[in-house]
Amino acid sequence: MSNMVVFGSQWGDEGKGKVVDMLAEKADAIVRFQGGNNAGHTLVVDGEQCILHLIPSGILHPGKQCLIGNGVVLDPFVFCEELDKLAAKGVDVSPTRVMISKKTHVIMPYHCLMDAARESSKSEDGKIGTTGRGIGPCYEDKMNRCGIRAGDFADPELLKGKIAKALEEKNVLFQHLYGTEPVDAQAVFDKVMPVAERLVPYLGDVSSAIQAADCVLFEGAQGTHLDIDHGTYPFVTSSNTVTANAASGSGCSPRELDRIIAIVKAYTTRVGSGPFPTELTDADGDYLQSQGHEFGATTGRKRRCGWLDLVVLKESARLNGPTELAITKLDVLSGLKEVKLCVGYKYKGETVAYPPQEQNGMAYVTPVYETLPGWDEDITGARSWDDLPGNAVRYLKRIEEISGVRIGIVSVGPDRVQTF
């Protein structure tokens, strides 16, 4: 069987969790390869909602191995909370099913404090909309080679020394730059030790587990245009969200990535700050927000909504090489008299097919739209292409034509069964 990668093609919140949940049935192992608990994957099974932030979405399928790769930054407190919530629902979350790479970097309490101190020190127009969960500062320590890794939890003396060393510089910043109290290393150590002891049984060699599985599903977080290198910098996340990171963020060869699935919401949304060319601030935008229940799974923030941006999608296809598209939330468009597709940008007097490469260039583009007729039919009961109204099919076909990628999956509602 082929290995599969699921990635977000927009700014996150495309519905990756649901698609991963569906595809997990065919996989032996599901691995999360980047990001932290700044992402939320919402699943609906038999009408019951489950939101996961760290544990891969495949956990709801009995017998599947769920792996957390080295490219993830793990908040141990959030991880333990998820274990407890899933266990309360009767889900097996034993170490035989869940594994954390020993190389995974750990979000420490001082990372969250640093995140909050930095954001609060900025003026309103300088804020980037961070979730404040310590993701960026943890990745920063990783690159600065002073990070705490999950494997360190098995050696308390090593852990204590690394915490003290990491706080030497941070306490100077806390006191003299941000005007806050210094952080006591012993207090941090005492706080994390109980969860450290809980985590140790879950530590393992994720690379070997991937190698041993016949079919692995690689699960990304956020979306391509939040990628630290290729996204709308500086309004981005702190990791590489593109498909290439599935290999380096989990510990395998890129040759092992076979089927690459781009998750595409049938319209576009964005949470937080940053350019959004197709954003709608009119009745159509309100309709999409209301019908799509567009609130962030992690932050609860209202999502900004707009027409589907095929310039963004084509850039995602260029960067990730998808073998197919998975269209989600198509049902939200039902009831609109017409629907629009952004097929290009006007930028500096020219029409461009891809986003400008200059920093914040997308803030200065004007979308070029193609208008298609909408449909009134309720499509939430559709279970095949033939069940869709003609105008919905035309809309999907146009997405295929312009993106150059075929559609392999269509979702018409939140429940697991509303997908074909």
Side-chain angles (χ1 to χ4, degrees):
M1 292 177 68
S2 297
N3 291 334
M4 300 172 280
V5 184
V6 169
F7 74 93
S9 64
Q10 295 155 305
W11 281 286
D13 307 309
E14 300 95 348
K16 295 180 292 298
K18 180 188 177 182
V19 177
V20 169
D21 174 63
M22 182 190 76
L23 295 174
E25 206 169 340
K26 303 175 183 179
D28 301 307
I30 301 92
V31 56
R32 170 81 179 272
F33 62 83
Q34 51 79 217
N37 58 302
N38 54 342
H41 289 176
T42 304
L43 314 175
V44 180
V45 182
D46 297 329
E48 185 176 354
Q49 187 181 82
C50 179
I51 299 177
L52 298 170
H53 298 278
L54 286 170
I55 297 175
S57 305
I59 194 69
L60 299 184
H61 289 270
K64 307 297 181 181
Q65 190 170 28
C66 292
L67 312 170
I68 296 177
N70 56 276
V72 172
V73 287
L74 181 91
D75 186 316
F77 299 95
V78 173
F79 176 76
C80 289
E81 286 173 12
E82 278 191 20
L83 289 179
D84 294 339
K85 287 179 181 178
L86 288 167
K89 293 176 180 284
V91 178
D92 177 11
V93 288
S94 65
T96 57
R97 285 200 67 201
V98 181
M99 182 189 294
I100 302 168
S101 170
K102 294 179 182 179
K103 300 176 183 178
T104 300
H105 278 252
V106 178
I107 297 172
M108 302 297 283
Y110 48 79
H111 290 135
C112 299
L113 293 173
M114 182 64 73
D115 216 352
R118 281 178 176 163
E119 191 74 351
S120 63
S121 70
K122 297 173 183 174
S123 61
E124 280 305 313
D125 59 356
K127 295 182 186 297
I128 61 170
T130 175
T131 59
R133 284 161 169 77
I135 311 297
C138 185
Y139 275 118
E140 186 178 330
D141 277 6
K142 176 179 180 176
M143 297 305 176
N144 200 31
R145 289 158 290 195
C146 64
I148 308 296
R149 303 208 296 183
D152 299 336
F153 277 6
D155 187 338
E157 286 305 310
L158 172 66
L159 177 62
K160 183 184 290 188
K162 290 187 75 171
I163 291 171
K165 186 67 177 174
L167 283 171
E168 286 180 1
E169 181 180 26
K170 288 177 177 58
N171 276 335
V172 174
L173 295 175
F174 281 131
Q175 288 180 276
H176 302 292
L177 182 59
Y178 300 118
T180 61
E181 292 296 315
V183 178
D184 182 69
Q186 184 64 45
V188 171
F189 177 78
D190 293 340
K191 183 176 182 178
V192 300
M193 274 311 296
V195 291
E197 291 168 357
R198 281 195 68 182
L199 247 66
V200 168
Y202 289 92
L203 302 179
D205 183 348
V206 166
S207 296
S208 292
I210 291 171
Q211 204 169 26
D214 289 329
C215 179
V216 180
L217 176 55
F218 297 84
E219 175 184 20
Q222 289 100 18
T224 295
H225 295 272
L226 291 176
D227 185 278
I228 186 67
D229 287 309
H230 302 290
T232 47
Y233 190 90
F235 303 99
V236 292
T237 193
S238 304
S239 60
N240 286 114
T241 60
V242 292
T243 297
N245 196 31
S248 61
S250 56
C252 70
S253 164
R255 291 185 179 182
E256 296 180 41
L257 310 179
D258 303 302
R259 185 180 173 192
I260 300 172
I261 304 162
I263 313 303
V264 186
K265 192 178 285 185
Y267 48 101
T268 308
T269 62
R270 180 164 197 170
V271 172
S273 306
F276 184 179
T278 66
E279 182 174 11
L280 296 170
T281 56
D282 57 9
D284 287 335
D286 291 339
Y287 183 86
L288 294 174
Q289 203 281 327
S290 173
Q291 294 296 111
H293 307 290
E294 294 295 351
F295 294 91
T298 297
T299 63
R301 290 181 291 185
K302 184 177 178 180
R303 294 179 186 139
R304 302 153 64 190
C305 298
W307 298 119
L308 180 57
D309 190 333
L310 293 179
V311 179
V312 160
L313 181 55
K314 284 174 65 179
E315 177 75 345
S316 291
R318 180 164 75 169
L319 293 170
N320 295 283
T323 56
E324 64 193 271
L325 307 179
I327 306 295
T328 63
K329 288 199 166 184
L330 184 65
D331 54 298
V332 173
L333 298 180
S334 295
L336 291 168
K337 290 184 178 180
E338 60 182 28
V339 289
K340 294 184 179 181
L341 292 170
C342 174
V343 296
Y345 294 155
K346 289 287 187 183
Y347 180 65
K348 294 184 177 180
E350 297 182 357
T351 299
V352 296
Y354 293 96
Q357 299 292 300
E358 294 84 0
Q359 178 167 318
N360 214 30
M362 284 179 70
Y364 302 98
V365 303
T366 302
V368 177
Y369 286 117
E370 186 175 294
T371 302
L372 299 171
W375 60 91
D376 290 321
E377 295 91 336
D378 178 1
I379 63 172
T380 56
R383 296 296 178 267
S384 73
W385 192 268
D386 294 335
D387 293 336
L388 295 174
N391 285 345
V393 172
R394 290 186 192 95
Y395 184 73
L396 296 177
K397 288 289 188 183
R398 195 66 182 125
I399 294 170
E400 285 187 323
E401 289 169 4
I402 296 173
S403 69
V405 187
R406 73 179 187 91
I407 294 172
I409 298 169
V410 178
S411 172
V412 293
D415 203 276
R416 182 184 280 175
V417 298
Q418 293 176 295
T419 313
F420 58 87

